[in-house]
């Protein structure tokens, strides 16, 4: 008999993470996507299957019988599919793709994921060029540029969104032991870490969540987002950061999100291929589009 249609694999992956945590918010943090993205993907999967996978209650979810069955059977099956695909993957030509990106995004989002690109395209060498300059002022030639905004792009580059993002508050677990965050106003007891090039993030977030007059015990300013996040891991204070920059710190317990539902939407991340960029750049662009995104 002919095989039936497969469920959407990205939605299935999000279901497996949400089922493991029994939390859409924690799944969103682990996958570096929005809570809304997880919810939409799972609802789409439920519609595809024709069954409810979660029982949704106020601030918590639990698995239905069907959800428990899918968790037990789909996890090993999805891993087997991945192993089969990697075993059969055709090696790409031994070429390079030059990627122009900002330092913090490179350190926190791109570098941790590059092993996956290399595993799928072992013949392509990713060459990362970090810079604070906009793409139109790049000092070195590149094949792919990645930025949050579409300002400063050469006219020939067609910017394409690939990753939705949100601002979220994070801190080291040790800080919460001494002064727990029982409500958003509890942040007034703590030091807030500020990125020099994104000074407005805290004020914008406070206005978004309805706390424009909240004043912290102290502010500490540092140069870049990845430096601020390291300072947060080391317990210097609370950081406000894009979910795309969280890396593995939340998943591995170095950081926690004490206010997971109080998030502020950010403009998406974009990429653009340079005119004349080869097949390697197209393969990298395709890979970017396969990364979990809202």
């Amino acid at each position: 008999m002919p095989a039936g249609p497969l469920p959407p694999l990205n939605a299935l992956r999000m279901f497996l993470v949400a089922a493991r945590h029994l939390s859409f918010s924690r799944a969103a943090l682990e996958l570096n996507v929005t809570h809304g993205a997880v919810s939409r993907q799972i609802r789409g999967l439920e519609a595809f299957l024709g069954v409810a996978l979660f029982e949704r209650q106020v601030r918590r979810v639990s698995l239905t019988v069907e959800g428990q069955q899918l968790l037990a059977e789909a996890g090993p099956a999805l891993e087997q599919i991945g192993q089969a695909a990697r075993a059969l993957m055709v090696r790409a030509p031994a070429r390079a793709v030059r990627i122009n990106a900002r330092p913090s995004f490179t350190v926190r989002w791109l570098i941790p994921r590059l092993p996956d690109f290399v595993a799928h395209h072992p013949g392509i060498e990713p060459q990362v060029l970090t810079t604070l300059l906009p793409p139109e002022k790049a000092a070195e030639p590149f094949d792919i540029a990645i930025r949050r905004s579409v300002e400063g792009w050469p006219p020939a580059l067609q910017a394409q969104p690939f990753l939705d993002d949100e601002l979220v508050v994070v801190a080291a677990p040790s800080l919460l032991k001494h002064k727990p965050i029982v409500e958003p106003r509890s942040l007034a007891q703590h030091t807030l870490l500020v990125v020099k090039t994104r000074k407005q993030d805290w004020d914008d977030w406070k206005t978004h969540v309805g706390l424009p007059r909240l004043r912290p015990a102290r502010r500490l300013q540092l140069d870049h987002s990845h430096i601020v996040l390291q300072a947060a891991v080391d317990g210097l204070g609370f950081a406000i950061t894009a979910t795309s920059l969280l890396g593995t710190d939340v998943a591995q317990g170095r950081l926690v999100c004490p206010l997971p539902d109080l998030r502020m939407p950010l403009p998406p991340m974009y990429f653009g291929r340079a005119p004349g960029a080869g097949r390697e750049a197209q393969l990298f662009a395709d890979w970017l589009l396969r990364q979990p995104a809202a």
Side-chain angles (χ1 to χ4, degrees), residues 188-256:
Q189 308 172 65
H190 292 276
T191 296
L192 302 188
L193 304 173
V194 180
V195 181
K196 183 178 180 181
T197 56
R198 298 190 62 89
K199 294 180 182 179
Q200 286 299 116
D201 279 355
W202 273 112
D203 291 336
D204 291 345
W205 177 85
K206 288 189 294 182
T207 299
H208 181 76
V209 302
L211 297 170
R213 297 183 180 181
L214 176 71
R215 294 187 179 277
R218 185 186 176 200
R219 283 177 175 254
L220 178 61
Q221 180 175 291
L222 298 166
D223 282 346
H224 300 292
S225 294
H226 60 282
I227 298 176
V228 161
L229 284 165
Q230 184 59 52
V233 168
D234 292 334
L236 290 181
F238 279 64
I240 185 85
T241 182
T243 54
S244 64
L245 301 183
L246 284 174
T248 61
D249 284 335
V250 171
Q252 297 184 5
R254 291 185 292 270
L255 291 174
V256 295

Side-chain angles (χ1 to χ4, degrees), residues 122-185:
I124 300 177
E125 176 186 342
Q127 299 176 354
V128 183
L129 315 169
T130 61
T131 177
L132 297 177
L133 296 173
E136 67 180 0
K137 296 183 179 180
E140 300 178 73
F142 60 85
D143 301 307
I144 292 271
I146 301 175
R147 292 293 188 279
R148 183 175 304 283
S149 82
V150 294
E151 297 180 2
W153 291 73
L157 256 68
Q158 296 294 319
Q160 181 173 351
F162 74 98
L163 181 67
D164 285 353
D165 222 345
E166 295 172 310
L167 279 179
V168 65
V169 176
V170 293
S174 58
L175 289 185
L176 299 176
K177 290 181 180 178
H178 302 298
K179 294 180 180 179
I181 299 297
V182 297
E183 61 175 344
R185 294 186 185 278

